Amino acid sequence: MPHTHHLRLFSAAGTCALATHIVLEEAGADYELVKVDFSLGEQGLPAFLAINPKGRVPALLGPQGVLTETPALLVYVAQIYPAACLAPLHDAFAFARLQSFNAYLCATVHVAHAHRRRGARWADDTAAQAAMQRKVAANMTACFRLIEDELLHGPWVLGDDYSVCDAYLYTISGWLEGDGVDLSQFPKVSDHAARMSRRPAVQAAEAAYR
Ligand SMILES: N[C@@H](CCC(=O)N[C@@H](CS)C(=O)NCC(=O)O)C(=O)O
């Protein structure tokens, strides 16, 4: 089947949208990058809200409409580019494991991280926001202890086969230093990040923000 999926990825530097960006590069997808400038608050302006009323990146615009939420985008790209082998598409249990890993990053780990700079989502009281910030390093450490010991099978997240989970893990593990977490306590995650950073797809995606 010919690829007729011209895609536009709405992304911003230093965000979770890097995961989808890496996966589009891995797939050799036909896409263009649209950068949303957070320093100008573009994510909250009407032009972007017309694309994604959530005011967040990533958003992926394709021929059938806009998709949001990283786990959905990652699986979508893996499914429309099956030849790239970015997900175990024909093994229900392995595919559920992939979804489970991505759901954990999206709903638990990313949200734990967001308490550092986005505490205003949960409390107006500045003292409460500061208290949430002080929990970030401990919560991220606990999340990555679980990833290191239980979830990252090695060498890739799902074991021998590289998948979209790896791009997502790499993206979020890149936030640890800024969150005050020493990555050296997680040797498998550190080694994973080092291997990821050498992949041409990762280098191409990262270069787009420099
Ligand atoms: N659950 C969403 C989270 C998206 C999200 O929160 N993106 C952040 C960047 S990492 C964002 O756009 N923040 C803009 C803002 O809060 O104004 C996903 O996984 O895609």
Side-chain angles (χ1 to χ4, degrees):
M1 199 173 62
H3 290 303
T4 52
H5 317 283
H6 182 71
L7 303 171
R8 299 182 87 189
L9 175 67
F10 293 82
S11 181
T15 68
C16 64
L18 179 66
T20 303
H21 194 171
I22 291 170
V23 163
L24 288 166
E25 283 289 330
E26 296 280 9
D30 171 19
Y31 78 98
E32 68 189 273
L33 181 69
V34 183
K35 286 197 221 172
V36 181
D37 191 337
F38 281 16
S39 71
L40 301 176
E42 283 181 354
Q43 73 270 37
L45 298 181
F48 183 67
L49 294 176
I51 302 289
N52 180 10
K54 294 171 181 168
R56 308 272 185 99
V57 297
L60 190 67
L61 174 62
Q64 293 164 283
V66 178
L67 289 169
T68 60
E69 299 299 327
T70 298
L73 271 52
L74 296 179
V75 161
Y76 176 67
V77 175
Q79 287 183 325
I80 62 174
Y81 289 101
C85 297
L86 293 167
L89 298 174
H90 306 292
D91 178 337
F93 187 76
F95 194 77
R97 270 209 169 134
L98 174 152
Q99 303 256 53
S100 172
F101 185 82
N102 289 347
Y104 180 62
L105 293 189
C106 183
T108 299
V109 189
H110 188 161
V111 175
H113 161 82
H115 283 69
R116 179 155 68 96
R117 289 215 190 114
R118 303 290 190 195
R121 287 180 194 159
W122 296 285
D124 295 322
D125 176 4
T126 52
Q129 290 173 10
M132 285 189 270
Q133 273 174 354
R134 287 194 296 275
K135 287 289 284 183
V136 169
N139 283 339
M140 292 298 277
T141 300
C143 290
F144 273 81
R145 175 49 57 205
L146 185 86
I147 291 169
E148 174 82 10
D149 293 345
E150 308 290 342
L151 306 183
L152 171 51
H153 290 191
W156 303 114
V157 170
L158 298 181
D160 290 334
D161 297 326
Y162 181 84
S163 74
V164 297
C165 298
D166 295 294
Y168 202 3
L169 174 61
Y170 174 72
T171 297
I172 293 196
S173 70
W175 298 343
L176 287 175
E177 212 181 286
D179 287 345
V181 178
D182 177 10
L183 197 58
S184 70
Q185 64 191 303
F186 305 119
K188 286 167 68 184
V189 175
S190 304
D191 171 65
H192 180 267
R195 279 181 287 115
M196 286 297 293
S197 68
R198 293 193 288 269
R199 293 178 75 87
V202 173
Q203 293 180 354
E206 289 182 327
Y209 304 97
R210 282 192 203 111

